């Protein structure tokens, strides 16, 4: 089968198309014939090795973190899924490989493809959906009546975070470009801040939570709009000691992440705020809840109109790295 791989970590965002054997499955896995896989900023972190302290991969590495496809084979212990069924998933962190014609995936990571989505639109849901679900339910423990602000939340993350937050009863405020305003409000956001017309840190009343999608340059501004006792959860800034402890990482990694995140922990603590970092995990049960939400609300993620095949992987990576896709960037298989 054809797959997109890297042979080593590199700042050069280049993958090679190679021929490798179709993977064998264990008793608890399914073999998925991949229909569509999504290209995320996480791919760039995997290529550069930016997250190798969280997950250090053996080389060569088949890239790709989320996919849609059809089950071709099931392991002897697998229950609840059958050959021929349409599924989607965020692959387990320690066994990624969605940029390939076939993928072997643990059954506890997969979910049925939502009935209102096809293989294309469905591929845009698992990673961001699980990130948003785990952010709101686990990291923030958000409750009805509270308010979350998502700076830069008009992209693919916001598409899932907004309806998940609204399903809990949480008020959602988003900042982003003027072009994304109507789409974001239609998704359920209670307020939209056009970053070209106003600075959110000058106009926003204090909120309970901020989910950061922009990174360290926005950290102080984000802290300034959070109530004392609130939380700032980042998808991009830096892991800290609490993250390493929660993930049960080795002691030396806890120390290292403690040092890396100490600046942010200190700044947050001075304002009575807790700083947290998230690295999303695969979870089939949570994906089933996301499927229900997607179907109930008829959520259809925005897809970038540029069509890519596996052979175009480096062009797709470049588009994601540019920061200007018009929706989720996808790789389609025949």
């Amino acid at each position: 089968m054809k797959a997109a791989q890297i042979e080593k970590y590199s700042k050069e965002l280049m993958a090679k198309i190679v021929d490798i054997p179709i993977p064998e499955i264990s008793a608890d896995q399914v073999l998925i014939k991949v229909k569509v896989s999504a290209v995320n900023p996480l791919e760039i972190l995997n290529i550069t090795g930016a997250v190798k302290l969280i997950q250090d991969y053996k080389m060569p590495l088949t890239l790709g973190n989320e996919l849609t496809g059809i089950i071709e084979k099931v392991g002897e212990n697998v229950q609840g899924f059958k050959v021929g069924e349409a599924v989607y998933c965020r692959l387990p962190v320690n066994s990624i490989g969605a940029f390939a014609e076939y993928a072997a995936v643990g059954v506890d990571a997969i979910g049925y493809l939502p009935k209102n989505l096809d293989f294309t639109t469905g591929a845009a849901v698992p990673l961001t959906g699980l990130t948003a679900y785990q952010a709101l339910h686990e990291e923030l423990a958000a409750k009805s009546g509270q308010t979350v602000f998502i700076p830069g939340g008009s992209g693919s993350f916001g598409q899932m975070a907004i309806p998940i937050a609204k399903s809990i009863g949480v008020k959602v405020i988003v900042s982003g470009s003027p072009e994304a305003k109507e789409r974001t409000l239609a998704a359920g956001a209670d307020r939209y801040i056009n970053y070209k017309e106003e600075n959110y840190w000058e106009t926003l009343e204090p909120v309970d939570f901020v989910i950061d999608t922009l990174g360290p340059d926005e950290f102080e501004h984000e802290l300034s709009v959070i109530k004392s006792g609130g939380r700032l959860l980042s998808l991009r800034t830096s892991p800290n000691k609490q993250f390493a402890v929660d993930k049960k990482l080795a002691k030396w990694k806890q120390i290292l992440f403690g040092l890396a995140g100490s600046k942010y922990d200190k700044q947050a603590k001075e304002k009575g705020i807790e700083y947290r970092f998230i690295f999303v995990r695969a979870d089939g049960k949570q994906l089933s809840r996301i499927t229900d939400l997607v179907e109930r609300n008829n959520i259809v993620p925005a897809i970038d109109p540029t069509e890519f095949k596996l052979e175009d992987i480096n062009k797709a990576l470049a588009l994601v790295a540019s920061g200007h896709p018009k929706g989720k960037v996808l790789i389609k298989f025949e």
Side-chain angles (χ1 to χ4, degrees):
M1 70 172 184
K2 293 189 182 303
Q5 292 188 334
I6 58 171
E7 295 177 347
K8 63 180 181 179
Y9 296 124
S10 171
K11 291 183 180 179
E12 189 177 7
L13 301 180
M14 298 288 286
K16 287 184 178 180
I17 305 301
V18 298
D19 280 304
I20 59 174
I22 294 174
E24 297 292 329
I25 61 170
S26 71
D28 298 307
Q29 290 182 315
V30 299
L31 182 68
I32 298 174
K33 182 175 176 60
V34 181
K35 288 290 189 179
V36 182
S37 54
V39 186
N40 295 281
L42 180 55
E43 266 64 69
I44 294 164
L45 301 180
N46 290 150
I47 292 170
T48 61
V51 292
K52 67 180 178 181
L53 284 176
I54 299 173
Q55 179 62 51
D56 193 3
Y57 292 103
K58 291 182 179 179
M59 299 291 166
L61 171 68
T62 301
L63 299 167
N65 284 274
E66 64 181 334
L67 59 79
T68 57
I70 296 174
I71 296 177
E72 286 247 327
K73 189 184 296 185
V74 298
E76 59 187 34
N77 294 340
V78 171
Q79 296 182 345
F81 292 91
K82 296 178 293 187
V83 171
E85 291 181 318
V87 294
Y88 70 159
C89 69
R90 185 269 193 266
L91 278 74
V93 173
N94 62 356
S95 56
I96 63 172
F99 297 166
E101 292 177 303
Y102 292 88
V105 187
V107 69
D108 57 355
I110 66 174
Y112 291 113
L113 186 68
K115 293 182 178 64
N116 65 315
L117 301 181
D118 56 20
F119 289 115
T120 298
T121 50
V125 171
L127 190 73
T128 49
L130 286 168
T131 303
Y133 190 94
Q134 290 167 23
L136 289 156
H137 284 273
E138 298 176 359
E139 300 291 343
L140 299 179
K143 294 178 174 58
S144 180
Q146 294 182 306
T147 301
V148 62
F149 172 52
I150 310 174
S154 59
S156 59
F157 175 74
Q159 289 179 86
M160 292 306 305
I162 293 166
I164 290 173
K166 297 302 292 181
S167 72
I168 304 169
V170 172
K171 181 180 179 182
V172 185
I173 303 170
V174 172
S175 70
S177 66
E179 294 80 12
K181 180 177 180 178
E182 294 306 317
R183 181 182 74 228
T184 308
L185 290 173
D190 296 279
R191 178 181 170 188
Y192 192 85
I193 298 173
N194 177 353
Y195 79 89
K196 292 186 177 181
E197 294 181 350
E198 60 179 310
N199 295 322
Y200 66 80
W201 57 91
E202 294 175 342
T203 61
L204 203 56
E205 292 293 321
V207 299
D208 298 286
F209 311 114
V210 167
I211 301 178
D212 161 55
T213 71
L214 300 176
D217 289 346
E218 285 296 304
F219 193 79
E220 290 187 21
H221 287 151
E222 290 168 348
L223 280 181
S224 72
V225 300
I226 303 175
K227 297 174 183 177
S228 178
R231 288 183 176 180
L232 194 166
L233 174 65
S234 181
L235 279 59
R236 292 189 56 185
T237 294
S238 173
N240 59 356
K241 184 176 181 179
Q242 188 61 55
F243 169 82
V245 170
D246 290 345
K247 295 293 182 184
K248 297 180 174 59
L249 300 181
K251 287 291 183 183
W252 69 270
K253 288 188 178 182
Q254 292 182 23
I255 294 169
L256 202 59
F257 283 138
L259 291 170
S262 61
K263 169 186 173 183
Y264 304 107
D265 284 335
K266 182 180 178 184
Q267 285 180 269
K269 190 174 181 180
E270 286 173 352
K271 295 181 177 291
I273 295 163
E274 183 180 3
Y275 170 65
R276 299 181 75 88
F277 178 83
I278 186 170
F279 193 79
V280 66
R281 70 181 187 279
D283 191 314
K285 289 182 179 178
Q286 290 183 355
L287 201 54
S288 294
R289 297 183 195 122
I290 291 165
T291 298
D292 291 340
L293 189 69
V294 167
E295 291 176 345
R296 192 164 60 247
N297 293 278
N298 194 28
I299 298 167
V300 181
I303 303 300
D304 188 273
T306 313
E307 293 201 2
F308 296 107
K309 295 183 179 180
L310 187 62
E311 291 75 15
D312 307 313
I313 181 61
N314 293 322
K315 292 178 182 177
L317 288 167
L319 177 57
V320 171
S322 76
H324 300 294
K326 297 175 182 177
K328 188 65 76 87
V329 176
L330 302 175
I331 301 289
K332 294 184 179 180
F333 294 79
E334 296 299 333

